Amino acid sequence: MRDIPFPARSIYHDHVFFHLAPRSLRAADKKRSSTLQSRLAARYRACFHARPDPSQHMANKDVTDPARMEKIVSLCKRRGFIFQAGEIYGGLNGCWDYGPLGAELKRNLKDYWWRKTVQERDDVLGMDGAILTMEQVLISSGHVGGFADPMCECPLTKQRLRADQVPASSPGVEYTFLGASDQTTGKTTDKTFTVLIPDEKQDKDRSAQKIALQYYRDLFGKGSAPKTLDNGWTVQPGPREGELYNPENGVLLSEPRMFELMLKANFGATGDQIAYLRPETAQSIFCQYKNVLDSNRVKLPFGIAQCGKSFRNEINPRNFTFRSREFEQMGIEYFCHPDDGLRLTDEWLEERLKFYGEIGIPREKLHILDIPDGERAFYSQKTYDIEYEFPFGIQELEGVAYRTDYDLGVHEKGAGKSLVYFDEETKEKFLPHVVEPSAGCDRTVLALICEAFDEETLTDEKGKEDIRTVLRFVPRMAPIKVGIFPLLKKNEDQVRICREIQKVLQPWMTVFYDDGGALGRRYRRQDEVGTPFCVTVDFETLGEQGEEMKNTVTVRHRDSMEQERLPISGLLAWLLERVR
Ligand code: GAP
């Protein structure tokens, strides 16, 4: 009997772990379901204990805003935040390069996360693990052979869809065509093709034939165009139980097949050594937990934090950088006594919500999904998803999961080395439990951009309207903190003073000198990339309007567009107070 993937009662947030089980189990499982269409999806969700289909938690269509998203993507390219990787060669799907401003923004996020998580806490230490990961590590963790998504293919469009995310089809008539032939070329096939035409559709026979002819035309290839479906067809009520149909065209999808989500690397002189590009930052932390504990003389509870790249062979990378094949995670594995796990999970959730507020993502745009019993990983006693209202729907930014002693347990067993903790005070020996807040760095960058993006209508003195594009980043996240402008680029003294200010500020923050074009246009260029302050050196700075204003500059605020006058000598301190 051929084995087929069966639920392993485990989740990996977005993805499903599979173990192998006999086909008979699947058959028994089939019988239990009543509606066929939803059966498969339900089985993948509930039986697999998979994370619920994210589309169920999406904002309803009215809340999504594709036009806004389009503008954001375009701004990101135009102003050098994010480019598609390998764009000049046509682009590498699911991979992104951060341009100068995107790199600054991402760095600000990672630095602030590190500062808040590691530097400003006594109980969290940092680490930076290898990306290439031993196969044995990922066998123990369950990723090898288990980290895969069930995928179906549409025979017509060749689209790949995740079986657990295909929505139920509404009732209709299912047509199965028994083949086709093309008199002109003599080509013939008895390959069947099935499509479900919904009840509400008029002239079902015609619709079904049209779509079938399209399929056979593609199958025969160029120069062939079957006009009739000579072999005929059968009809029956649909959807049939256990089958999945493409929600866009009603075509019967192929049987789900497992799609490996890890990326393999071959290395060594003969290339026969195997490692994986890590699918998450967590595993190196679990593997080094004892080394960190012993080398740093820390006591429970304590955490290990890591920010770095992870790789997943996502089948449908989408929504700009939201679901990528190469991405960064900012994760903490917080080790604790079993009695403290649930309490600490709630504490970490609060801590993480506070963090999002500090970087400019307001609480009201965040949604907490308390994953119910039966839908969490079997080892998890509590899991929260922190979701954000992206223009394409409400989607996950971070998971805060209480993973019990599952991870240390599997590595202890896999490596054959004790990972038990000895509490000197209580003399208790136990395997620590883990609370894991794991955030996506690229997703948070995207959330920051989406949140900051604004188009403001301004009206001038003559009543003329104009749209000002502004990225309203909180100053600590802004890629450039200060724009520095001479009023007149031909005025050598103004330029010299600008350059002096630049030299003073540069060791502390990213600044941008600009002397091109009218001052108003320079302000707008900085508004568009989110620079919170612009400093202008003018004739007053030179003392031409009197001694009082000498060595002062105009500071213009991005959001209010108000201006104030500050002495150059106090500029650094004034800015530092506002941009850290
Ligand atoms: N160690 C647990 C873990 O990796 P996860 O939910 O799969 O859990 C954590 O990943 C976070 O990493 C997610 O909340 C998300 O922000 C980010 N992430 C996961 N897959 C991603 C992808 N394909 N593209 C971008 N970010 C991703």
Side-chain angles (χ1 to χ4, degrees), residues 13 280 312 314 322 324 327 329 396-397 436 438 440 443:
H13 287 249
E280 59 172 1
R312 295 181 192 175
E314 296 284 358
F322 180 82
S324 309
F327 55 96
Q329 291 182 310
E396 178 187 330
L397 271 185
E436 178 196 66
S438 179
R443 283 187 189 180

Side-chain angles (χ1 to χ4, degrees), residues 225-245:
K227 291 192 179 56
T228 51
L229 295 152
D230 305 331
N231 298 6
W233 60 86
T234 61
V235 293
Q236 61 177 319
R240 272 181 300 136
E241 192 167 331
E243 302 300 355
L244 293 173
Y245 302 83

Side-chain angles (χ1 to χ4, degrees), residues 185-247:
T185 58
K187 282 182 186 166
T188 176
T189 180
D190 55 7
K191 218 170 169 192
T192 61
F193 173 78
T194 302
V195 60
L196 177 70
I197 307 292
D199 280 340
E200 59 274 17
K201 189 109 185 161
Q202 303 290 316
D203 204 351
K204 290 189 197 44
D205 284 8
R206 222 170 124 234
S207 304
Q209 285 179 51
K210 200 170 153 205
I211 198 165
L213 282 170
Q214 195 186 333
Y215 167 76
Y216 287 115
R217 249 195 317 270
D218 294 348
L219 190 74
F220 286 156
K222 256 197 170 143
S224 207
K227 291 192 179 56
T228 51
L229 295 152
D230 305 331
N231 298 6
W233 60 86
T234 61
V235 293
Q236 61 177 319
R240 272 181 300 136
E241 192 167 331
E243 302 300 355
L244 293 173
Y245 302 83
N246 188 340

Side-chain angles (χ1 to χ4, degrees), residues 117-232:
T117 310
V118 181
Q119 287 175 330
E120 293 186 11
R121 289 184 71 117
D122 296 334
D123 59 344
V124 180
L125 302 159
M127 76 165 265
D128 186 9
I131 285 172
L132 288 176
T133 305
M134 278 176 78
E135 190 175 28
Q136 196 53 49
V137 168
L138 296 164
I139 289 174
S140 299
S141 68
H143 286 84
V144 172
F147 186 36
D149 273 346
M151 300 303 297
C152 319
E153 198 179 82
C154 172
L156 180 68
T157 61
K158 307 294 176 227
Q159 245 175 306
R160 290 211 166 128
L161 293 98
R162 253 176 70 175
D164 58 322
Q165 290 181 2
V166 175
S169 306
S170 46
V173 178
E174 193 197 78
Y175 291 77
T176 298
F177 293 88
L178 306 172
S181 49
D182 178 6
Q183 277 85 0
T184 331
T185 58
K187 282 182 186 166
T188 176
T189 180
D190 55 7
K191 218 170 169 192
T192 61
F193 173 78
T194 302
V195 60
L196 177 70
I197 307 292
D199 280 340
E200 59 274 17
K201 189 109 185 161
Q202 303 290 316
D203 204 351
K204 290 189 197 44
D205 284 8
R206 222 170 124 234
S207 304
Q209 285 179 51
K210 200 170 153 205
I211 198 165
L213 282 170
Q214 195 186 333
Y215 167 76
Y216 287 115
R217 249 195 317 270
D218 294 348
L219 190 74
F220 286 156
K222 256 197 170 143
S224 207
K227 291 192 179 56
T228 51
L229 295 152
D230 305 331
N231 298 6

Side-chain angles (χ1 to χ4, degrees), residues 336-394:
C336 64
H337 188 278
D339 292 347
D340 299 330
L342 280 172
R343 173 181 58 80
L344 287 166
T345 308
D346 284 351
E347 284 180 22
W348 270 109
L349 175 67
E350 283 313 312
E351 194 63 25
R352 297 300 304 144
L353 291 172
K354 191 164 146 250
F355 176 86
Y356 286 112
E358 289 166 1
I359 61 170
I361 299 182
R363 182 65 187 83
E364 61 272 18
K365 291 283 198 70
L366 294 173
H367 297 249
I368 313 302
L369 195 66
D370 184 353
I371 309 287
D373 290 347
E375 288 185 7
R376 288 192 302 272
F378 71 93
Y379 52 78
S380 172
Q381 285 184 19
K382 193 87 191 160
T383 300
Y384 296 110
D385 278 356
I386 303 176
E387 302 179 316
Y388 171 71
E389 284 179 23
F390 287 98
F392 43 82
I394 299 174

